[in-house]
Amino acid sequence: MSDESALLREPWFDFGRQREAGKFGIWVFLASETLFFGALMLTYTVCRIEHPDAFAAAGRETNIWYGTINTAVLLTSSLTMAIAAQAAEAPVRLRRLVLAGLIATALLGIAFIVIKGFEYREDIDKHLVPGAGFALPQAGAQLFYGFYWLVTSVHAIHLSIGIALVGRLVWVLLRHELPLHDNPEIEVTALYWHLVDIVWIFLYPLIYLPGRAS
């Protein structure tokens, strides 16, 4: 059985069409996710214009060390994911390099979630959850932390899905059930992972840098 035959899925009868459909589908999905996060960021911008002092005060309460470390972790995971994707497309089937890149990507993703968990615990201990007993007196500060909890939790869910997708690739590759060369599953997973990383790159300055420039 050829690599293309092994990769062919219903309802497709031609591998080229299946590959193009998969790429088109993931780009449509990525566009919809961009609109979703873009709407959230637009809402953030409007609220920040209305409450600049409160957002600056709230931003100073975020833990920039956790945020910076997690940014470095995600940027490194994009590198390892890119290495895995490029190795899969190489004329020489670099199975070990692909596996190493995917495993490193999944581990870095898990590290991000763990670090974020420590940050969440600190935020809870500091009473930075909107609602009764919120630590900051400014009304706009609760809007900031409402945005913070919403977008970081949604981002963490997306990242968890990405970890599961990468873990599945590792599993099927270890079982030799997935051909490497010209494989759309690896390419599509890499595109999804890079989207998650790009979203965080935009979230980082919005969350951790307000109030720290002066």
Side-chain angles (χ1 to χ4, degrees):
M1 181 181 292
S2 68
D3 281 359
E4 291 191 2
S5 299
L7 291 169
L8 198 60
R9 301 288 186 267
E10 293 184 356
W12 306 104
F13 298 97
D14 178 79
F15 178 73
R17 290 188 177 183
Q18 174 184 288
R19 179 183 177 86
E20 292 305 315
K23 290 172 66 176
F24 177 75
I26 189 62
W27 280 111
V28 170
F29 172 76
L30 296 181
S32 68
E33 290 294 285
T34 301
L35 290 174
F36 171 73
F37 281 103
L40 290 176
M41 293 177 189
L42 178 60
T43 302
Y44 168 94
T45 302
V46 172
C47 293
R48 182 171 176 176
I49 292 172
E50 291 293 324
H51 306 279
D53 294 335
F55 269 55
R60 285 191 291 269
E61 294 298 320
T62 58
N63 191 318
I64 194 170
W65 293 108
Y66 280 133
T68 303
I69 292 169
N70 260 346
T71 301
V73 167
L74 272 193
L75 289 175
T76 305
S77 76
S78 266
L79 173 62
T80 56
M81 187 74 240
I83 290 172
Q86 288 299 310
E89 294 180 2
V92 178
R93 314 270 178 98
L94 304 174
R95 180 175 292 271
R96 289 186 178 180
L97 183 57
V98 174
L99 280 170
L102 292 175
I103 292 170
T105 301
L107 291 176
L108 288 166
I110 293 170
F112 180 97
I113 297 295
V114 171
I115 294 169
K116 197 65 191 170
F118 284 114
E119 185 178 2
Y120 279 159
R121 185 179 66 178
E122 180 181 281
D123 294 331
I124 293 170
D125 290 342
K126 292 167 63 177
H127 303 287
L128 294 175
V129 181
F134 186 71
L136 301 179
Q138 302 93 333
Q142 293 208 43
L143 290 175
F144 176 93
Y145 270 95
F147 173 85
Y148 166 83
W149 284 99
L150 175 62
V151 296
T152 57
S153 60
V154 170
H155 178 268
I157 291 170
H158 280 72
L159 181 59
S160 299
I161 293 171
I163 294 169
L165 292 174
V166 173
R168 175 191 170 276
L169 287 177
V170 172
W171 173 253
V172 294
L173 283 172
L174 286 173
R175 293 170 59 89
H176 297 276
E177 295 177 356
L178 189 68
L180 284 180
H181 185 60
D182 206 28
N183 190 323
E185 294 186 37
I186 297 176
E187 181 180 5
V188 166
T189 302
L191 286 172
Y192 177 85
W193 191 272
H194 293 319
L195 168 73
V196 175
D197 291 356
I198 290 171
V199 168
W200 182 258
I201 290 172
F202 281 95
L203 293 181
Y204 174 78
L206 297 180
I207 293 172
Y208 295 99
L209 300 186
R212 290 194 161 97
S214 56

